[in-house]
Amino acid sequence: MTWFKKPVSVKGTLLALLLPAGILLMALAWLVHGLLLDRMSRQFVETRLKDEVAFLEHQIRDSGGRLDTLQTGDYFQEVFHHAFAIHSDSRTIISPEHWAPLLMPLVKSGEEGTLRVSGAQIAEAPSDILAYRKSFRVDDQPIVVIVSEDLGALSRSQAELHAWTAVVSLLLILLLVGVLWLGINLSMRPVVSLKAALKRLQDGEISRIDVKAPEELQPLVLQLNQLLDSLDQRLERSRDALANLSHSVKTPIAAVRQILEDIDRPLPNNLRQQMAGRLDDIDRQLEAEMRRSRFAGPQVGKSAYPLKQARDLLWMLGRLYPAKSFEMSTVLTEERRWPIEEHDLNEVLGNLLDNAGKWSARFVELGLEEDGQGFTVTVEDDGPGIPPDALDTLGTRGLRLDEQTPGHGLGLAIVREITERYGGTLNFSSGSNGGLKATIYFPGKTRGISQ
C-alpha cells in the first residue's frame, strides 16, 4: 500500500514539501521556546534569590547581628515578593509564617547554595519551591539566611506564556500557508503563460513563443524559438534544393531525351560525348544536393570529438596518399568536445585534408586550436599554391582552377557552406612553404547561431 503519492504538478510538489517543513519547523521552534523559557526563568530566579540573600546579609551586618532591628515583614514581601527565613542562636524569623514547615528543614540541613523542594504536602504552603541558603558569622554569631520562591506560580506563568506562543505559532502557520500559496501561484504564472503560448503555437495562432518568462525559463524559450527557426529554415532549404535540382536536371534530361527520341539520327562520337557530359552534370548536381541534405548545422545537444575525428581522417588519407605525410599539431585532449555536429565537422576536415592531399608535394599539416572566443582549424600543404588574386574565388560552387585534377569542385564549396551555417569564416592564404593554407574559425557559441 502506498502511503504517499508524489504530486504530479510543480505546485503540488512545492506545497507537499514546503508546508510540512514549515509546520515541523514551527513546532520545533515552539518546543525549543518552552525549553529555553524554563531554563532562563530558573536562572533569573536563582540570580534574584542570590541578590536578595546578599541584601539581607548586608542589612544584618549593618545591624551588628541584631535581627529585631531588621526591616523585613510586609516590606520585604511587598518589595521582593519572596518568602525568607533568618536564623540565629537567639531568634528565628520566617515570613510568611505558613512557609515555616518548608523552610525550617532547610535551615537545619546545613546545605549551602540553591536548594529545591518539590512534592511537599503542607496546608497553605506551595508544593514546589526554589530556595537559596547562605550561612555566615557576625561577631562570632552564626546566622543562616534563606530566600525562596514558589515555582508553581512561576510554572503557571510560563505555561500561560507558552500557550500564547502556541496560539501565535498557529496564526503564523496559517499565514505561512497563505504566503506559500500566493508565492507559488505568482511564481507559476509565467509557466501558465508559457503553457498557453504553446497551445496557441500548436493551434497555429502564433509562429513563435513571445512570453515574458523568468530567468530560469529564458533558455528554454530561446531554444524552442531556435528549434522553430531551424525547422522553418530546413523546410525552406529543402524546397530550394528541390527547386534547384529540378531546374538543373530538367535541361540536360531534355537534351538527352531529344537525342534518344530522334531515331533517324545516328549517334556519332561527339553526340555520345555530349550525352555523357549531360549525364555527368546530372550526377554532379545530384551528388551536391545529396551532400547538402546531410548537413545538420548548429543543433542543441550535438557535438563532436575533434581530436578523434582528425586522427581517423589522417590515418585514412595517409593510406589514400601513401607517398605523403599527414601531420597534426594541437593541445586538445581526447575528451574535448566542440559544439559542432559530428558529420558536419567530418565534412569540413575531410574536404580540406583531401584537397590538400591532392595538391601537396610531401606533407600536409592540420592544426586544431581553441580559446575563450571560438575554435580554429588550419590545413596547410606544401604544394604549388595559387595566385593571390585567385584566393577570393576559392570555395565558389562548381569553380575548379585546374581541370586536370579529378573532382567536381564541390569540396571547398561544401566547407564554406557548412562554415557559414555555424556563423564561422573560411579564409585562404599562402602557406609558409609556398602551398595553400585554409583557416576556418567557428565562434564559441555556435549553438546560438541561427541556421
Side-chain angles (χ1 to χ4, degrees):
M1 181 177 178
T2 303
W3 293 97
F4 177 76
K5 184 178 179 182
K6 184 179 179 181
V8 296
S9 67
V10 176
K11 183 186 297 185
T13 302
L14 290 174
L15 284 176
L17 292 176
L18 295 178
L19 189 56
I23 296 175
L24 180 61
L25 290 176
M26 196 67 70
L28 182 61
W30 181 74
L31 292 175
V32 172
H33 169 266
L35 296 175
L36 291 178
L37 180 62
D38 182 69
R39 181 178 177 182
M40 293 175 63
S41 299
R42 295 290 179 87
Q43 291 178 347
F44 177 73
V45 170
E46 289 181 10
T47 302
R48 288 190 61 185
L49 294 177
K50 291 179 183 180
D51 292 340
E52 292 167 12
V53 168
F55 170 76
L56 286 175
E57 180 185 1
H58 178 70
Q59 280 196 330
I60 294 171
R61 291 186 183 278
D62 286 346
S63 64
R66 295 192 301 271
L67 301 184
D68 55 347
T69 63
L70 293 178
Q71 191 177 13
T72 58
D74 294 339
Y75 166 79
F76 191 82
Q77 294 182 42
E78 290 175 1
V79 174
F80 296 101
H81 309 287
H82 289 153
F84 68 93
I86 304 175
H87 173 74
S88 68
D89 292 339
S90 60
R91 187 178 180 184
T92 298
I93 302 174
I94 297 179
S95 179
E97 294 181 357
H98 58 268
W99 281 55
L102 288 173
L103 298 182
M104 282 306 296
L106 299 181
V107 171
K108 298 176 181 180
S109 67
E111 296 182 17
E112 297 288 327
T114 303
L115 305 175
R116 176 78 178 270
V117 177
S118 59
Q121 301 295 329
I122 300 174
E124 299 183 0
S127 61
D128 190 11
I129 66 170
L130 185 67
Y132 187 80
R133 182 183 188 276
K134 184 177 182 180
S135 59
F136 54 91
R137 287 181 174 272
V138 178
D139 297 333
D140 293 331
Q141 179 185 2
I143 296 177
V144 176
V145 176
I146 298 176
V147 179
S148 62
E149 180 166 340
D150 182 3
L151 290 182
L154 180 63
S155 298
R156 288 190 293 272
S157 299
Q158 291 178 5
E160 183 179 357
L161 177 60
H162 204 40
W164 277 109
T165 305
V167 173
V168 173
S169 298
L170 290 176
L171 294 177
L172 289 177
I173 289 175
L174 295 177
L175 180 61
L176 176 63
V177 172
V179 171
L180 286 177
W181 183 263
L182 179 62
I184 291 174
N185 283 327
L186 291 177
S187 300
M188 295 300 294
R189 279 186 178 180
V191 179
V192 175
S193 301
L194 181 59
K195 180 180 177 181
L198 290 173
K199 182 65 170 59
R200 294 176 61 197
L201 179 68
Q202 184 179 7
D203 295 339
E205 298 178 9
I206 57 176
S207 61
R208 293 297 179 273
I209 300 175
D210 186 16
V211 295
K212 188 176 181 181
E215 182 179 354
E216 292 80 6
L217 297 180
Q218 281 292 349
L220 175 62
V221 175
L222 179 62
Q223 295 296 346
L224 285 175
N225 285 330
Q226 289 179 355
L227 178 61
L228 294 173
D229 292 338
S230 174
L231 293 175
D232 287 347
Q233 291 171 5
R234 286 193 176 195
L235 178 60
E236 184 179 353
R237 286 201 303 269
S238 298
R239 290 172 175 172
D240 291 342
L242 289 175
N244 293 336
L245 183 61
S246 175
H247 182 269
S248 301
V249 172
K250 185 181 298 183
T251 300
I253 287 180
V256 172
R257 178 181 297 171
Q258 182 179 3
I259 294 175
L260 293 177
E261 289 178 351
D262 189 358
I263 58 177
D264 298 329
R265 186 179 181 182
L267 294 177
N269 289 335
N270 61 339
L271 286 179
R272 293 178 182 274
Q273 292 176 358
Q274 290 180 10
M275 291 176 62
R278 294 293 185 177
L279 293 175
D280 187 61
D281 291 340
I282 296 174
D283 180 67
R284 181 175 62 185
Q285 189 66 28
L286 289 173
E287 179 184 353
E289 295 302 331
M290 288 295 293
R291 294 181 71 173
R292 289 184 64 193
S293 66
R294 292 195 295 267
F295 301 162
Q299 297 290 310
V300 177
K302 299 293 184 179
S303 61
Y305 295 93
L307 189 58
K308 179 181 181 301
Q309 289 189 234
R311 285 176 175 171
D312 292 343
L313 287 171
L314 292 176
W315 180 87
M316 182 182 67
L317 291 170
R319 299 300 183 271
L320 185 62
Y321 302 101
K324 301 175 183 181
S325 174
F326 289 81
E327 304 292 340
M328 178 172 60
S329 62
T330 183
V331 295
L332 300 181
T333 61
E334 292 281 356
E335 297 78 16
R336 189 68 184 110
R337 302 173 70 175
W338 284 4
I340 303 173
E341 200 275 332
E342 185 176 351
H343 183 271
D344 291 352
L345 182 61
N346 202 67
E347 283 283 347
V348 169
L349 296 178
N351 280 302
L352 289 179
L353 290 172
D354 182 59
N355 183 76
K358 291 177 182 178
W359 294 98
S360 65
R362 297 186 308 277
F363 76 90
V364 175
E365 183 176 4
L366 169 65
L368 301 175
E369 301 176 4
E370 69 172 87
D371 52 28
Q373 303 298 322
F375 316 95
T376 303
V377 177
T378 57
V379 176
E380 183 177 354
D381 62 70
D382 61 344
I386 64 172
D389 56 352
L391 290 175
D392 294 337
T393 63
L394 287 177
T396 304
R397 178 173 295 275
L399 176 64
R400 298 179 57 199
L401 298 182
D402 190 341
E403 299 290 338
Q404 303 300 319
T405 304
H408 301 305
L410 295 174
L412 297 182
I414 290 173
V415 172
R416 183 179 294 278
E417 186 171 349
I418 293 176
T419 303
E420 290 175 351
R421 286 193 187 180
Y422 284 86
T425 56
L426 171 62
N427 296 312
F428 296 98
S429 60
S430 298
S432 57
N433 295 291
L436 179 66
K437 179 179 181 181
T439 303
I440 294 180
Y441 175 78
F442 294 106
K445 296 183 179 179
T446 54
R447 288 192 179 104
I449 299 170
S450 178
Q451 298 181 45

